Amino acid sequence: MKDFEEKLERLEALSAAIKKPELKLEEALKFFEEGITLAKSMEKDIDKIEGKIQILMNNKVDTPEQPPELDLFSSVEG
């Protein structure tokens, strides 16, 4: 997770640098390209994390089954 946080910090730094009016166009383009690469990498990291969460959510835990609480929907008239 630390790697993700480091990527996020770098992306935030790039974003701040790009907003500076004195930044040359060539440098801004390099920063933008690096930012896009970071964002894509972070998106892959998030997809992996979501996959792990899905696996954990689908695994049954040895706890007694509880029926779903349906009374939340009983007052809704359709």
Side-chain angles (χ1 to χ4, degrees), residues 53-75:
I53 290 171
Q54 286 297 324
I55 290 170
L56 292 171
M57 295 296 292
N58 290 330
N59 285 340
K60 292 189 178 190
V61 182
D62 293 334
T63 58
E65 289 288 324
Q66 293 182 347
E69 295 183 28
L70 300 177
D71 62 342
L72 294 173
F73 303 103
S74 62
S75 63

Side-chain angles (χ1 to χ4, degrees), residues 25-57:
L25 182 59
E26 294 82 20
E27 273 191 85
L29 181 58
K30 286 193 323 189
F31 289 163
F32 181 77
E33 288 178 24
E34 183 182 350
I36 292 296
T37 302
L38 277 172
K40 287 180 181 180
S41 173
M42 292 169 70
E43 186 175 14
K44 288 179 185 178
D45 293 343
I46 290 172
D47 287 343
K48 288 179 188 176
I49 292 168
E50 286 177 345
K52 289 179 182 180
I53 290 171
Q54 286 297 324
I55 290 170
L56 292 171
M57 295 296 292

Side-chain angles (χ1 to χ4, degrees), residues 1-9 41-43 45-46 49:
M1 187 60 93
K2 185 176 182 180
D3 187 46
F4 183 86
E5 292 169 355
E6 289 171 354
K7 289 177 187 178
L8 182 58
E9 286 177 14
S41 173
M42 292 169 70
E43 186 175 14
D45 293 343
I46 290 172
I49 292 168

Side-chain angles (χ1 to χ4, degrees), residues 10-23 28 31:
R10 178 62 182 158
L11 190 58
E12 289 171 345
L14 290 170
S15 176
I18 287 174
K19 293 176 184 176
K20 294 181 180 178
E22 66 273 4
L23 186 68
F31 289 163

